[in-house]
Coordinates of all heavy atoms in Angstrom, one line a residue:
I13 N 5.0 48.0 -50.9 CA 4.5 48.6 -52.1 C 4.9 50.1 -52.1 O 5.4 50.6 -53.2 CB 3.0 48.5 -52.2 CG1 2.6 47.0 -52.4 CG2 2.5 49.3 -53.4 CD1 1.1 46.7 -52.4
E14 N 4.8 50.7 -51.0 CA 5.1 52.2 -50.9 C 6.6 52.4 -51.2 O 7.0 53.3 -51.9 CB 4.7 52.7 -49.6 CG 4.5 54.2 -49.5 CD 3.9 54.6 -48.2 OE1 4.1 53.9 -47.2 OE2 3.3 55.7 -48.2
A15 N 7.5 51.6 -50.6 CA 8.9 51.7 -50.8 C 9.3 51.4 -52.3 O 10.1 52.1 -52.9 CB 9.7 50.7 -50.0
L16 N 8.6 50.5 -52.9 CA 8.8 50.2 -54.3 C 8.4 51.3 -55.2 O 9.0 51.7 -56.2 CB 8.1 48.9 -54.8 CG 8.7 47.6 -54.2 CD1 7.9 46.4 -54.6 CD2 10.1 47.4 -54.7
F17 N 7.3 51.9 -54.8 CA 6.8 53.1 -55.6 C 7.8 54.3 -55.5 O 8.1 54.9 -56.5 CB 5.4 53.5 -55.0 CG 4.7 54.6 -55.8 CD1 4.2 54.4 -57.1 CD2 4.6 55.9 -55.3 CE1 3.6 55.4 -57.8 CE2 3.9 56.9 -56.0 CZ 3.5 56.6 -57.2
L18 N 8.3 54.5 -54.3 CA 9.3 55.6 -54.2 C 10.6 55.3 -54.9 O 11.2 56.1 -55.5 CB 9.6 55.9 -52.7 CG 10.4 57.1 -52.4 CD1 9.9 58.3 -53.0 CD2 10.6 57.2 -50.9
L19 N 10.9 54.0 -54.9 CA 12.1 53.6 -55.7 C 11.9 53.8 -57.2 O 12.8 54.2 -57.9 CB 12.5 52.1 -55.4 CG 13.8 51.6 -55.9 CD1 15.0 52.4 -55.4 CD2 13.9 50.1 -55.6
A20 N 10.7 53.5 -57.7 CA 10.4 53.7 -59.1 C 10.4 55.2 -59.4 O 10.9 55.6 -60.5 CB 9.0 53.2 -59.4
I21 N 10.0 56.1 -58.5 CA 10.1 57.5 -58.8 C 11.5 57.9 -58.8 O 11.9 58.7 -59.6 CB 9.3 58.3 -57.7 CG1 7.8 58.0 -57.8 CG2 9.6 59.8 -57.7 CD1 6.9 58.6 -56.7
D22 N 12.3 57.3 -57.9 CA 13.8 57.6 -57.9 C 14.4 57.2 -59.2 O 15.2 58.0 -59.8 CB 14.4 56.9 -56.7 CG 15.7 57.5 -56.3 OD1 15.9 58.7 -56.5 OD2 16.6 56.8 -55.7
I23 N 14.1 56.1 -59.7 CA 14.7 55.6 -61.0 C 14.2 56.6 -62.1 O 15.0 56.9 -63.0 CB 14.3 54.2 -61.3 CG1 15.0 53.2 -60.3 CG2 14.6 53.8 -62.7 CD1 14.5 51.8 -60.3
Y24 N 13.0 57.0 -62.1 CA 12.4 57.9 -63.1 C 13.2 59.2 -63.0 O 13.6 59.8 -64.0 CB 10.9 58.2 -62.8 CG 10.4 59.3 -63.6 CD1 10.1 59.1 -65.0 CD2 10.1 60.5 -63.0 CE1 9.6 60.2 -65.7 CE2 9.6 61.6 -63.8 CZ 9.3 61.4 -65.1 OH 8.8 62.4 -65.8
M25 N 13.5 59.7 -61.8 CA 14.3 61.0 -61.6 C 15.7 60.8 -62.1 O 16.2 61.8 -62.7 CB 14.3 61.4 -60.1 CG 12.9 61.8 -59.6 SD 12.9 62.1 -57.9 CE 14.2 63.2 -57.6
I26 N 16.3 59.7 -62.0 CA 17.6 59.4 -62.5 C 17.6 59.5 -64.1 O 18.4 60.2 -64.7 CB 18.2 58.1 -62.0 CG1 18.5 58.1 -60.5 CG2 19.5 57.7 -62.8 CD1 18.8 56.8 -59.9
A27 N 16.6 58.8 -64.6 CA 16.4 58.9 -66.1 C 16.1 60.3 -66.6 O 16.7 60.7 -67.6 CB 15.3 57.9 -66.5
L28 N 15.3 61.0 -65.8 CA 15.0 62.4 -66.2 C 16.3 63.3 -66.1 O 16.5 64.2 -67.0 CB 14.0 63.0 -65.2 CG 13.3 64.2 -65.6 CD1 12.5 64.1 -66.8 CD2 12.4 64.7 -64.4
G29 N 17.2 63.0 -65.2 CA 18.4 63.7 -65.1 C 19.3 63.5 -66.3 O 20.0 64.5 -66.7
F30 N 19.3 62.4 -66.9 CA 20.1 62.1 -68.1 C 19.4 62.7 -69.4 O 20.1 63.0 -70.3 CB 20.3 60.6 -68.3 CG 21.4 60.1 -67.4 CD1 21.0 59.2 -66.4 CD2 22.7 60.5 -67.5 CE1 22.0 58.7 -65.5 CE2 23.7 60.0 -66.6 CZ 23.3 59.1 -65.6
T31 N 18.1 62.8 -69.4 CA 17.4 63.2 -70.6 C 17.1 64.7 -70.6 O 16.8 65.2 -71.7 CB 16.1 62.5 -70.8 OG1 15.3 62.7 -69.6 CG2 16.3 61.0 -70.9
H32 N 17.3 65.4 -69.5 CA 17.0 66.8 -69.4 C 18.3 67.5 -68.9 O 19.1 66.9 -68.2 CB 15.8 67.1 -68.5 CG 14.5 66.7 -69.1 ND1 14.2 65.3 -69.1 CD2 13.5 67.4 -69.6 CE1 13.0 65.2 -69.6 NE2 12.6 66.4 -70.0
D33 N 18.4 68.8 -69.2 CA 19.5 69.6 -68.8 C 19.3 70.0 -67.3 O 18.5 70.8 -67.0 CB 19.7 70.8 -69.7 CG 21.1 71.3 -69.8 OD1 22.0 70.5 -69.4 OD2 21.3 72.4 -70.3
K34 N 20.1 69.3 -66.4 CA 19.9 69.6 -65.0 C 21.3 69.9 -64.4 O 22.3 69.5 -64.9 CB 19.4 68.3 -64.3 CG 18.1 67.8 -64.7 CD 17.0 68.5 -64.0 CE 15.7 67.9 -64.3 NZ 14.6 68.8 -64.3
E35 N 21.2 70.7 -63.3 CA 22.4 70.9 -62.5 C 22.5 69.7 -61.6 O 21.6 69.5 -60.7 CB 22.3 72.2 -61.8 CG 23.6 72.6 -61.1 CD 23.5 74.0 -60.5 OE1 22.8 74.9 -61.0 OE2 24.1 74.2 -59.5
W36 N 23.5 68.9 -61.7 CA 23.6 67.6 -61.1 C 23.7 67.7 -59.6 O 23.2 66.8 -58.9 CB 24.7 66.7 -61.7 CG 24.2 66.0 -62.9 CD1 24.4 66.4 -64.2 CD2 23.3 64.9 -62.9 NE1 23.7 65.5 -65.0 CE2 23.1 64.6 -64.3 CE3 22.8 64.1 -61.9 CZ2 22.3 63.5 -64.7 CZ3 22.0 63.0 -62.3 CH2 21.8 62.7 -63.7
A37 N 24.5 68.6 -59.0 CA 24.7 68.6 -57.6 C 23.4 68.6 -56.7 O 23.2 67.7 -55.9 CB 25.6 69.8 -57.2
P38 N 22.5 69.6 -56.9 CA 21.3 69.5 -56.1 C 20.4 68.3 -56.5 O 19.7 67.8 -55.7 CB 20.6 70.8 -56.4 CG 21.2 71.4 -57.6 CD 22.6 70.8 -57.7
Y39 N 20.4 68.0 -57.8 CA 19.6 66.9 -58.3 C 20.0 65.6 -57.6 O 19.1 64.8 -57.3 CB 19.7 66.8 -59.8 CG 18.5 66.1 -60.5 CD1 17.3 66.6 -60.4 CD2 18.7 64.9 -61.2 CE1 16.2 66.0 -61.0 CE2 17.7 64.3 -61.8 CZ 16.4 64.8 -61.7 OH 15.4 64.2 -62.3
L40 N 21.3 65.4 -57.5 CA 21.8 64.1 -56.8 C 21.3 64.1 -55.4 O 21.1 63.0 -54.8 CB 23.3 64.0 -56.9 CG 23.8 63.7 -58.3 CD1 25.4 63.7 -58.3 CD2 23.4 62.3 -58.7
G41 N 21.2 65.3 -54.7 CA 20.7 65.3 -53.4 C 19.3 64.9 -53.3 O 18.9 64.1 -52.4
V42 N 18.5 65.3 -54.2 CA 17.1 64.9 -54.2 C 17.0 63.4 -54.5 O 16.2 62.6 -53.8 CB 16.3 65.7 -55.3 CG1 14.9 65.1 -55.5 CG2 16.2 67.1 -54.9
I43 N 17.8 62.9 -55.4 CA 17.8 61.5 -55.7 C 18.2 60.6 -54.5 O 17.6 59.6 -54.2 CB 18.7 61.2 -57.0 CG1 18.0 61.7 -58.2 CG2 18.9 59.7 -57.1 CD1 18.9 61.7 -59.4
G44 N 19.3 61.1 -53.8 CA 19.7 60.4 -52.6 C 18.7 60.4 -51.5 O 18.5 59.4 -50.9
M45 N 18.0 61.5 -51.3 CA 16.9 61.6 -50.3 C 15.8 60.6 -50.6 O 15.3 59.9 -49.8 CB 16.4 63.0 -50.1 CG 17.4 63.9 -49.4 SD 17.9 63.4 -47.8 CE 16.4 63.6 -46.9
A46 N 15.4 60.5 -51.9 CA 14.4 59.6 -52.3 C 14.8 58.2 -52.1 O 14.0 57.3 -51.7 CB 14.0 59.9 -53.8
L47 N 16.1 57.9 -52.4 CA 16.6 56.5 -52.2 C 16.6 56.2 -50.7 O 16.2 55.1 -50.3 CB 18.0 56.4 -52.8 CG 18.6 55.0 -52.7 CD1 17.8 54.0 -53.4 CD2 20.0 55.0 -53.3
L48 N 17.0 57.1 -49.9 CA 17.0 56.9 -48.4 C 15.6 56.7 -47.9 O 15.3 55.9 -47.0 CB 17.7 58.0 -47.7 CG 19.2 58.0 -47.8 CD1 19.8 59.3 -47.1 CD2 19.9 56.8 -47.2
G49 N 14.7 57.5 -48.5 CA 13.3 57.4 -48.1 C 12.7 56.0 -48.4 O 12.0 55.4 -47.7
A50 N 13.0 55.5 -49.6 CA 12.6 54.1 -50.0 C 13.1 53.1 -49.1 O 12.4 52.2 -48.7 CB 13.0 53.9 -51.5
I51 N 14.4 53.2 -48.7 CA 15.0 52.2 -47.8 C 14.3 52.3 -46.4 O 14.0 51.3 -45.8 CB 16.5 52.5 -47.7 CG1 17.2 52.1 -49.0 CG2 17.2 51.6 -46.6 CD1 18.6 52.6 -49.2
G52 N 14.1 53.5 -46.0 CA 13.4 53.7 -44.7 C 12.0 53.2 -44.7 O 11.6 52.5 -43.7
L53 N 11.3 53.4 -45.7 CA 9.9 52.8 -45.8 C 9.9 51.3 -45.8 O 9.1 50.7 -45.3 CB 9.2 53.4 -47.1 CG 8.7 54.8 -47.0 CD1 8.2 55.3 -48.3 CD2 7.7 55.0 -45.9
F54 N 10.9 50.7 -46.5 CA 11.1 49.3 -46.5 C 11.2 48.7 -45.1 O 10.6 47.8 -44.7 CB 12.2 48.9 -47.4 CG 12.6 47.4 -47.4 CD1 11.7 46.5 -48.0 CD2 13.6 46.9 -46.6 CE1 12.0 45.1 -48.0 CE2 13.9 45.6 -46.6 CZ 13.1 44.7 -47.2
F55 N 12.1 49.3 -44.3 CA 12.4 48.8 -43.0 C 11.2 49.1 -42.1 O 10.9 48.3 -41.2 CB 13.7 49.4 -42.4 CG 14.9 48.7 -43.0 CD1 15.7 49.4 -43.9 CD2 15.1 47.4 -42.7 CE1 16.8 48.7 -44.4 CE2 16.2 46.7 -43.2 CZ 17.1 47.4 -44.1
L56 N 10.5 50.2 -42.3 CA 9.3 50.5 -41.5 C 8.2 49.5 -41.8 O 7.5 49.0 -40.9 CB 8.8 51.9 -41.8 CG 9.6 53.1 -41.2 CD1 9.1 54.4 -41.7 CD2 9.6 53.1 -39.7
A57 N 8.1 49.1 -43.0 CA 7.1 48.1 -43.4 C 7.4 46.8 -42.8 O 6.5 46.1 -42.3 CB 7.0 48.0 -44.9
R58 N 8.7 46.4 -42.7 CA 9.1 45.2 -42.1 C 8.7 45.2 -40.6 O 8.3 44.2 -40.0 CB 10.5 44.9 -42.3 CG 10.9 44.5 -43.7 CD 12.3 44.1 -43.9 NE 12.7 43.1 -43.0 CZ 13.9 42.7 -42.8 NH1 14.9 43.2 -43.4 NH2 14.2 41.7 -41.9
G59 N 8.9 46.4 -40.0 CA 8.6 46.5 -38.6 C 7.1 46.4 -38.3 O 6.7 45.8 -37.3
V60 N 6.3 47.0 -39.2 CA 4.9 46.9 -39.0 C 4.4 45.5 -39.2 O 3.6 45.0 -38.4 CB 4.1 47.9 -40.0 CG1 2.7 47.6 -40.1 CG2 4.4 49.3 -39.7
K61 N 5.0 44.8 -40.2 CA 4.6 43.4 -40.4 C 5.0 42.5 -39.3 O 4.3 41.6 -38.9 CB 5.3 42.9 -41.7 CG 4.8 41.6 -42.2 CD 5.4 41.2 -43.5 CE 4.9 39.8 -43.9 NZ 5.5 39.3 -45.1
A62 N 6.1 42.8 -38.6 CA 6.5 42.1 -37.5 C 5.7 42.4 -36.2 O 5.9 41.8 -35.2 CB 8.0 42.3 -37.2
G63 N 4.9 43.4 -36.3 CA 4.1 43.8 -35.1 C 4.8 44.7 -34.2 O 4.3 44.9 -33.0
N64 N 5.8 45.3 -34.6 CA 6.6 46.3 -33.7 C 5.8 47.6 -33.7 O 5.9 48.4 -34.7 CB 8.0 46.4 -34.3 CG 8.9 47.3 -33.4 OD1 8.4 47.9 -32.4 ND2 10.1 47.3 -33.7
R65 N 5.2 47.9 -32.6 CA 4.4 49.1 -32.5 C 5.3 50.4 -32.5 O 4.8 51.5 -32.7 CB 3.6 49.1 -31.2 CG 2.5 48.0 -31.3 CD 1.5 48.1 -30.2 NE 0.7 49.3 -30.3 CZ 0.1 49.9 -29.3 NH1 0.2 49.4 -28.1 NH2 -0.5 51.0 -29.5
R66 N 6.6 50.3 -32.2 CA 7.4 51.5 -32.2 C 7.6 52.1 -33.6 O 8.0 53.3 -33.7 CB 8.8 51.1 -31.6 CG 8.7 50.8 -30.1 CD 10.1 50.4 -29.6 NE 10.4 49.1 -30.3 CZ 11.6 48.5 -30.1 NH1 12.5 49.0 -29.3 NH2 11.8 47.3 -30.6
V67 N 7.3 51.4 -34.6 CA 7.5 51.9 -36.0 C 6.3 52.6 -36.5 O 6.3 53.3 -37.5 CB 8.0 50.9 -37.0 CG1 9.3 50.2 -36.5 CG2 6.9 49.8 -37.2
F68 N 5.2 52.6 -35.7 CA 3.9 53.2 -36.2 C 4.1 54.7 -36.4 O 3.7 55.3 -37.4 CB 2.8 52.9 -35.3 CG 2.2 51.5 -35.4 CD1 2.9 50.5 -36.1 CD2 1.1 51.2 -34.8 CE1 2.4 49.2 -36.2 CE2 0.6 49.9 -34.8 CZ 1.2 48.9 -35.6
A69 N 4.7 55.4 -35.4 CA 4.8 56.9 -35.4 C 5.7 57.3 -36.6 O 5.3 58.2 -37.3 CB 5.3 57.4 -34.1
P70 N 6.9 56.7 -36.8 CA 7.7 57.1 -37.9 C 7.0 56.8 -39.3 O 7.2 57.6 -40.2 CB 9.0 56.4 -37.8 CG 9.0 55.8 -36.4 CD 7.6 55.8 -35.9
A71 N 6.3 55.7 -39.3 CA 5.6 55.4 -40.6 C 4.5 56.4 -40.9 O 4.3 56.8 -42.0 CB 5.0 54.0 -40.5
I72 N 3.8 56.8 -39.8 CA 2.7 57.8 -40.0 C 3.3 59.1 -40.4 O 2.9 59.8 -41.3 CB 1.8 57.9 -38.8 CG1 1.0 56.7 -38.6 CG2 1.0 59.2 -38.8 CD1 0.3 56.6 -37.3
L73 N 4.4 59.5 -39.8 CA 5.1 60.8 -40.1 C 5.6 60.8 -41.5 O 5.4 61.8 -42.3 CB 6.3 61.0 -39.1 CG 7.1 62.3 -39.4 CD1 6.2 63.5 -39.2 CD2 8.3 62.3 -38.4
A74 N 6.2 59.7 -42.0 CA 6.6 59.6 -43.4 C 5.5 59.8 -44.3 O 5.7 60.4 -45.4 CB 7.3 58.2 -43.6
N75 N 4.3 59.2 -44.0 CA 3.2 59.4 -44.9 C 2.6 60.8 -44.9 O 2.1 61.3 -45.8 CB 2.2 58.3 -44.7 CG 2.6 57.0 -45.2 OD1 2.5 56.8 -46.4 ND2 3.2 56.1 -44.4
L76 N 2.7 61.4 -43.7 CA 2.3 62.8 -43.6 C 3.2 63.7 -44.5 O 2.7 64.7 -45.1 CB 2.2 63.3 -42.2 CG 1.1 62.7 -41.3 CD1 1.3 63.1 -39.9 CD2 -0.3 63.1 -41.8
I77 N 4.5 63.4 -44.4 CA 5.4 64.1 -45.3 C 5.1 63.9 -46.8 O 5.1 64.8 -47.6 CB 6.9 63.7 -45.0 CG1 7.3 64.2 -43.6 CG2 7.8 64.2 -46.1 CD1 8.6 63.6 -43.1
A78 N 4.7 62.7 -47.1 CA 4.3 62.4 -48.5 C 3.1 63.2 -48.9 O 3.0 63.7 -50.0 CB 4.0 60.9 -48.7
L79 N 2.1 63.4 -48.0 CA 1.0 64.3 -48.3 C 1.4 65.7 -48.5 O 0.8 66.5 -49.3 CB -0.1 64.2 -47.1 CG -0.8 62.9 -47.1 CD1 -1.8 62.9 -45.9 CD2 -1.6 62.6 -48.4
G80 N 2.5 66.2 -47.8 CA 3.0 67.5 -48.0 C 3.6 67.6 -49.4 O 3.4 68.6 -50.1
V81 N 4.2 66.6 -49.9 CA 4.8 66.5 -51.2 C 3.7 66.5 -52.3 O 3.8 67.2 -53.3 CB 5.7 65.3 -51.4 CG1 6.1 65.1 -52.9 CG2 6.9 65.4 -50.5
V82 N 2.6 65.9 -52.0 CA 1.4 65.8 -52.9 C 0.9 67.2 -53.1 O 0.5 67.5 -54.2 CB 0.3 64.9 -52.3 CG1 -1.0 65.1 -52.9 CG2 0.8 63.4 -52.4
K83 N 0.9 68.0 -52.1 CA 0.4 69.4 -52.2 C 1.1 70.1 -53.4 O 0.5 70.7 -54.2 CB 0.5 70.2 -50.9 CG 0.2 71.6 -51.0 CD 0.6 72.4 -49.8 CE 0.3 73.8 -49.8 NZ 1.0 74.6 -50.8
Y84 N 2.4 70.0 -53.4 CA 3.2 70.6 -54.4 C 3.0 70.0 -55.8 O 3.1 70.6 -56.8 CB 4.7 70.7 -54.0 CG 4.9 71.6 -52.8 CD1 5.2 71.0 -51.6 CD2 4.8 72.9 -52.9 CE1 5.4 71.8 -50.5 CE2 5.0 73.7 -51.8 CZ 5.3 73.2 -50.6 OH 5.4 74.0 -49.5
Q85 N 2.8 68.7 -55.8 CA 2.5 68.0 -57.1 C 1.2 68.5 -57.7 O 1.1 68.6 -58.9 CB 2.5 66.5 -56.9 CG 3.8 65.9 -56.4 CD 5.0 66.2 -57.3 OE1 4.8 66.2 -58.5 NE2 6.1 66.5 -56.8
F86 N 0.2 68.6 -56.8 CA -1.1 69.2 -57.3 C -0.9 70.6 -57.8 O -1.5 70.9 -58.9 CB -2.2 69.1 -56.2 CG -2.9 67.8 -56.1 CD1 -2.8 67.0 -55.0 CD2 -3.7 67.4 -57.2 CE1 -3.5 65.8 -54.9 CE2 -4.4 66.2 -57.1 CZ -4.3 65.4 -56.0
E87 N -0.2 71.4 -57.1 CA 0.0 72.8 -57.5 C 0.8 72.8 -58.9 O 0.5 73.7 -59.7 CB 0.8 73.6 -56.5 CG 0.0 73.9 -55.3 CD 0.9 74.6 -54.2 OE1 2.1 74.8 -54.4 OE2 0.3 75.0 -53.2
A88 N 1.6 71.9 -59.1 CA 2.4 71.8 -60.4 C 1.6 71.1 -61.5 O 2.1 70.9 -62.6 CB 3.7 71.1 -60.2
K89 N 0.4 70.7 -61.1 CA -0.5 69.9 -62.0 C 0.1 68.6 -62.5 O -0.1 68.2 -63.7 CB -0.9 70.8 -63.2 CG -1.7 72.0 -62.8 CD -2.1 72.9 -64.0 CE -3.0 74.0 -63.7 NZ -2.7 74.9 -62.7
V90 N 0.8 68.0 -61.6 CA 1.4 66.6 -61.9 C 0.5 65.6 -61.3 O 0.8 64.9 -60.3 CB 2.8 66.5 -61.4 CG1 3.5 65.2 -61.8 CG2 3.7 67.7 -61.8
Y91 N -0.7 65.5 -61.8 CA -1.8 64.7 -61.2 C -1.5 63.2 -61.3 O -1.8 62.5 -60.4 CB -3.1 65.0 -61.9 CG -3.5 66.4 -61.8 CD1 -3.7 67.2 -62.9 CD2 -3.8 67.0 -60.5 CE1 -4.1 68.5 -62.8 CE2 -4.1 68.4 -60.4 CZ -4.3 69.1 -61.6 OH -4.6 70.4 -61.5
W92 N -0.8 62.8 -62.3 CA -0.5 61.4 -62.5 C 0.4 60.9 -61.4 O 0.5 59.7 -61.1 CB 0.2 61.1 -63.9 CG 1.5 61.8 -64.0 CD1 1.8 63.0 -64.5 CD2 2.8 61.2 -63.7 NE1 3.1 63.3 -64.5 CE2 3.8 62.2 -64.0 CE3 3.2 60.0 -63.2 CZ2 5.1 62.0 -63.8 CZ3 4.6 59.8 -63.0 CH2 5.5 60.8 -63.3
L93 N 1.1 61.8 -60.7 CA 2.0 61.4 -59.6 C 1.3 61.7 -58.3 O 1.4 61.0 -57.3 CB 3.3 62.2 -59.7 CG 4.4 61.8 -58.8 CD1 4.8 60.3 -59.0 CD2 5.7 62.6 -59.1
A94 N 0.6 62.8 -58.2 CA -0.1 63.3 -57.0 C -1.2 62.4 -56.5 O -1.3 62.1 -55.3 CB -0.6 64.7 -57.1
I95 N -2.0 61.9 -57.4 CA -3.2 61.1 -57.0 C -2.7 59.7 -56.4 O -3.2 59.4 -55.3 CB -4.1 60.9 -58.2 CG1 -4.8 62.3 -58.4 CG2 -5.2 59.9 -57.9 CD1 -5.6 62.4 -59.7
P96 N -1.8 59.0 -57.1 CA -1.5 57.7 -56.5 C -0.7 57.9 -55.1 O -0.9 57.1 -54.2 CB -0.5 57.1 -57.5 CG -0.7 57.8 -58.7 CD -1.3 59.1 -58.4
I97 N 0.1 58.9 -55.0 CA 0.8 59.1 -53.8 C -0.2 59.4 -52.7 O -0.1 58.9 -51.5 CB 1.9 60.2 -53.9 CG1 3.0 59.8 -54.8 CG2 2.5 60.6 -52.5 CD1 4.0 60.9 -55.1
S98 N -1.1 60.3 -52.9 CA -2.1 60.7 -51.9 C -3.0 59.5 -51.5 O -3.2 59.3 -50.3 CB -2.9 61.9 -52.4 OG -3.7 61.5 -53.5
V99 N -3.4 58.7 -52.5 CA -4.2 57.5 -52.1 C -3.4 56.5 -51.3 O -3.9 56.0 -50.3 CB -4.7 56.8 -53.4 CG1 -5.3 55.5 -53.1 CG2 -5.8 57.7 -54.1
M100 N -2.2 56.3 -51.7 CA -1.3 55.4 -50.9 C -1.1 55.9 -49.5 O -1.2 55.1 -48.5 CB 0.0 55.1 -51.7 CG 0.7 54.0 -51.1 SD 2.2 53.6 -52.1 CE 1.7 53.5 -53.7
A101 N -0.7 57.2 -49.4 CA -0.4 57.7 -48.1 C -1.6 57.7 -47.1 O -1.5 57.3 -46.0 CB 0.1 59.2 -48.2
V102 N -2.7 58.1 -47.6 CA -4.0 58.1 -46.8 C -4.3 56.7 -46.4 O -4.7 56.4 -45.2 CB -5.1 58.8 -47.5 CG1 -6.4 58.6 -46.8 CG2 -4.8 60.3 -47.6
T103 N -4.2 55.7 -47.3 CA -4.5 54.3 -47.0 C -3.6 53.8 -45.9 O -4.0 53.1 -45.0 CB -4.4 53.5 -48.3 OG1 -5.3 54.0 -49.3 CG2 -4.7 52.0 -48.0
V104 N -2.3 54.1 -46.0 CA -1.3 53.6 -45.0 C -1.6 54.3 -43.7 O -1.6 53.6 -42.7 CB 0.1 53.9 -45.5 CG1 1.1 53.6 -44.4 CG2 0.4 53.0 -46.7
I105 N -1.9 55.6 -43.7 CA -2.1 56.3 -42.4 C -3.4 55.7 -41.7 O -3.3 55.4 -40.5 CB -2.3 57.8 -42.6 CG1 -0.9 58.4 -43.0 CG2 -2.8 58.5 -41.4 CD1 -1.0 59.8 -43.5
V106 N -4.4 55.5 -42.4 CA -5.7 54.9 -41.9 C -5.4 53.5 -41.4 O -5.8 53.1 -40.3 CB -6.8 55.0 -42.9 CG1 -8.0 54.2 -42.4 CG2 -7.2 56.4 -43.2
G107 N -4.7 52.7 -42.2 CA -4.4 51.3 -41.8 C -3.5 51.3 -40.5 O -3.8 50.4 -39.7
L108 N -2.6 52.2 -40.4 CA -1.7 52.2 -39.2 C -2.5 52.6 -38.0 O -2.3 52.0 -36.9 CB -0.5 53.1 -39.4 CG 0.6 52.6 -40.4 CD1 1.6 53.7 -40.7 CD2 1.3 51.4 -39.7
F109 N -3.4 53.6 -38.1 CA -4.2 54.0 -37.0 C -5.1 52.8 -36.6 O -5.3 52.6 -35.4 CB -5.0 55.2 -37.3 CG -4.3 56.5 -37.0 CD1 -4.0 57.4 -38.0 CD2 -3.9 56.8 -35.7 CE1 -3.2 58.5 -37.8 CE2 -3.2 58.0 -35.5 CZ -2.9 58.9 -36.5
K110 N -5.7 52.1 -37.5 CA -6.6 51.0 -37.2 C -5.8 49.9 -36.5 O -6.2 49.3 -35.5 CB -7.3 50.4 -38.5 CG -8.4 51.3 -38.9 CD -9.1 50.6 -40.1 CE -10.2 51.5 -40.6 NZ -10.9 50.9 -41.8
E111 N -4.6 49.6 -37.0 CA -3.7 48.6 -36.4 C -3.3 49.0 -35.0 O -3.3 48.1 -34.1 CB -2.5 48.3 -37.3 CG -1.6 47.3 -36.8 CD -2.2 45.9 -36.7 OE1 -3.1 45.6 -37.5 OE2 -1.7 45.1 -35.9
A112 N -3.0 50.2 -34.8 CA -2.6 50.7 -33.5 C -3.7 50.6 -32.5 O -3.5 50.2 -31.4 CB -2.1 52.1 -33.6
K113 N -4.9 50.9 -33.0 CA -6.1 50.8 -32.1 C -6.4 49.4 -31.7 O -6.7 49.1 -30.6 CB -7.3 51.5 -32.8 CG -8.5 51.5 -31.9 CD -9.7 52.2 -32.6 CE -10.9 52.2 -31.7 NZ -12.0 52.8 -32.4
S114 N -6.3 48.5 -32.7 CA -6.6 47.1 -32.4 C -5.6 46.4 -31.6 O -5.9 45.6 -30.8 CB -6.9 46.3 -33.7 OG -5.6 46.2 -34.5
S115 N -4.3 46.7 -31.8 CA -3.2 46.1 -31.0 C -3.1 46.7 -29.7 O -2.7 46.1 -28.7 CB -1.9 46.2 -31.7 OG -1.5 47.5 -31.9
G116 N -3.6 48.0 -29.5 CA -3.6 48.6 -28.2 C -4.7 48.1 -27.3 O -4.6 48.2 -26.1
S117 N -5.8 47.5 -27.8 CA -6.9 47.0 -27.0 C -6.6 45.6 -26.5 O -7.4 45.1 -25.8 CB -8.2 47.1 -27.8 OG -8.1 46.3 -28.9
N118 N -5.6 45.0 -27.0 CA -5.3 43.6 -26.6 C -4.6 43.5 -25.3 O -3.8 44.2 -24.9 CB -4.4 42.9 -27.7 CG -5.2 42.6 -29.0 OD1 -6.4 42.6 -28.9 ND2 -4.5 42.5 -30.1

């Protein structure tokens, strides 16, 4: 879900680039990073689902980075984007910690 959400934001950014006057070179960099992030989150989710504990740390780190992005979204008053990202990131972080704790006690 998180990877799809980031992919949707990426598609929105592409559409925004065509509808607003943007300097394309840096904008394409942001779009590319968002696309790589979505792909990375997809593979991390597959690893978590497969029970691979090695992906927990990168998945938690990715969501902590998302919380950093949320800070700037709140400052820009883009609440429609900040609130869902923060809820999703916190939910994933808590879930990963719970999963790590339960799989570590086995």
